[in-house]
């Protein structure tokens, strides 16, 4: 078998009009000691100028998309760019600074021993979390647990994820997983279905540094409803294998 490539990690941050927060977010991840890849998802000129300034700093890369396409599209574009630049792993972090940087090092630790592991943050909220968000996300948790017949995915909605880049890009080439908020949940479910190993790691969350939310109530709820319908149908098609627990434990093909 060919040898595993040496581990090269980066931090991947999708950005859409988070000009007031992104500099502090970048400063927070600098102690990780890996390059930062910013993906500008069609931000307005003020935010774009902030990103241009950040891109002049050492070990900071900028990928600019010509128009806003959504968080999922930005992450997927960033993963393709990460692979093109030779990174083996990408740690996705939200741009708004809500995640405690002190909790991020474990996501990058020990990758040589588990290079094919998808590592997903599960939030430890403080008092700043809106109650409707705290309780509302449990509907998604329950639907994910039903779709996978498993409790292996504690919280697919968290904005901190460590992706094995090549394996994730292969999975996305087969299953697009959506361009907006649905990507956060659909990709981990399909990863688990494909037999990929998963680790859940805690992340403290504070809402939010700049107060910017791009969640469009009607559009995104409809997209999420369609995603859950597809996943539930997919679960039924995979029911014998899921009930039998016939997962390979290796990375998705």
């Amino acid at each position: 078998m060919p040898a595993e490539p040496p581990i090269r990690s980066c931090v991947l941050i999708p950005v859409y009009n988070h000009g007031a927060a992104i500099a502090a977010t970048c400063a927070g991840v600098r102690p990780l000691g890996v390059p930062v890849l910013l993906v500008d998802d069609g931000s307005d000129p003020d935010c774009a100028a902030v990103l241009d300034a950040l891109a002049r700093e050492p070990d900071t890369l900028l990928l600019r998309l010509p128009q806003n396409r959504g968080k999922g599209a930005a992450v997927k574009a960033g993963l393709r760019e990460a692979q093109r630049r030779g990174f083996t792993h990408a740690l996705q972090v939200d741009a708004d600074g809500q995640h405690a940087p002190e909790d991020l090092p474990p996501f990058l630790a020990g990758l040589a021993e588990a290079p094919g592991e998808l590592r997903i943050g599960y939030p430890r909220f403080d008092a700043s979390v809106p109650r409707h968000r705290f309780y509302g996300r449990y509907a998604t948790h329950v639907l994910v647990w039903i779709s996978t017949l498993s409790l292996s995915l504690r919280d697919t909605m968290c904005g901190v994820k460590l992706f094995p880049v090549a394996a994730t890009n292969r999975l996305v080439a087969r299953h697009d997983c959506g361009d907006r908020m649905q990507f956060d949940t659909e990709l981990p479910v399909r990863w688990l279905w494909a037999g990929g190993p998963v680790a859940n790691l805690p992340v403290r969350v504070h809402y939010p540094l700049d107060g910017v939310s791009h969640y469009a109530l009607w559009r995104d709820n409809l997209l999420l409803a369609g995603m859950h319908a597809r996943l539930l149908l997919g679960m039924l098609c995979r029911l014998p294998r899921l009930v039998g627990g016939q997962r390979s434990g290796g990375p998705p093909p």
Side-chain angles (χ1 to χ4, degrees), residues 167-177 190 194 238 252-253:
T168 304
N169 284 338
R170 288 194 298 269
L171 184 63
V172 169
R174 296 170 57 213
H175 306 284
D176 183 70
C177 297
R190 292 192 179 278
R238 294 168 173 82

Side-chain angles (χ1 to χ4, degrees), residues 8-12 29-30 33-37 58-61 87:
R8 289 190 64 218
S9 300
C10 67
V11 174
L12 169 60
V29 301
R30 293 288 181 203
V34 300
V36 176
L37 172 57
D59 284 331
T60 304
L61 310 168
F87 294 108

Side-chain angles (χ1 to χ4, degrees), residues 125-135 137 205-208:
F125 294 110
D126 64 14
S128 67
V129 61
R131 291 292 98 184
H132 69 280
R133 292 195 182 189
F134 180 79
Y135 293 112
R137 68 194 298 127
V205 176
H206 177 81
Y207 273 85

